[in-house]
Amino acid sequence: SIVLRGASHQMLDEAERSLHDALCVLVSTIKDPRTVCGGGCTEILMAAAVDAQVGQIPGKKALAMEAYAKALRMLPGIVADNGGYDSAELVTQLRAAHAAGKGCSGLNMNEGVVGDMKDMGVMESYKSKLHVLLSASEAAEMILRVDDIIKVAPRQREQGGY
């Protein structure tokens, strides 16, 4: 049994949702035990993989891919900001570590430095990471579709009338 206490019903509802989400990730990880490195490591690796493909894609798709890679690189910065650290400094150090071949490097939020996520045991559920990535991608695609609809040229009106 788990007992939740809080100052208001809203806080209790939020705590219950958070607990439910954590238990769902735990069940998902038990069903599919694959994990990926945490601390922004995976996002930097995915951004590098997308960047590597940009040169082979012609047209506007390449611009969208560049923006997607940039968005992936922003996620470790958000984590650093939330931890109260200098995100620009940490993310540039993280990118340099990955460029130097340290593929398991991520943000050590306890000390505010870049560290090896495997050595530290900072791992995330593969299923959870995949779900987050797919949900974010689908949301961005829906926004782009709405933006496309809004940008459609207005139909021509007849001359002389309002």
Side-chain angles (χ1 to χ4, degrees), residues 23-133:
L23 291 173
C24 286
V25 169
L26 183 62
V27 169
S28 174
T29 304
I30 289 170
K31 288 180 181 177
D32 184 0
R34 292 182 289 176
T35 57
V36 294
C37 291
C41 174
T42 307
E43 288 81 0
I44 295 296
L45 289 171
M46 288 188 290
V50 171
D51 278 335
Q53 296 297 315
V54 168
Q56 301 170 9
I57 306 296
K60 292 181 181 178
K61 286 184 180 181
L63 296 174
M65 290 174 68
E66 286 175 346
Y68 191 79
K70 182 179 178 184
L72 286 170
R73 281 190 297 273
M74 288 177 68
L75 293 173
I78 293 168
V79 170
D81 282 338
N82 288 342
Y85 295 109
D86 181 5
S87 62
E89 180 66 26
L90 282 177
V91 172
T92 54
Q93 289 177 10
L94 180 58
R95 290 181 70 187
H98 278 266
K102 299 176 182 174
C104 294
S105 294
L107 301 179
N108 176 346
M109 297 307 295
N110 290 329
E111 300 173 19
V113 296
V114 173
D116 190 299
M117 296 293 103
K118 278 192 178 178
D119 290 346
M120 294 172 54
V122 179
M123 306 301 284
E124 296 182 53
S125 167
Y126 169 79
K127 280 285 205 183
S128 176
K129 182 65 79 174
L130 180 63
H131 179 70
V132 167
L133 186 64

Side-chain angles (χ1 to χ4, degrees), residues 6-15:
S8 67
H9 286 291
Q10 188 176 16
M11 287 182 67
L12 283 173
D13 289 343
E14 185 62 33

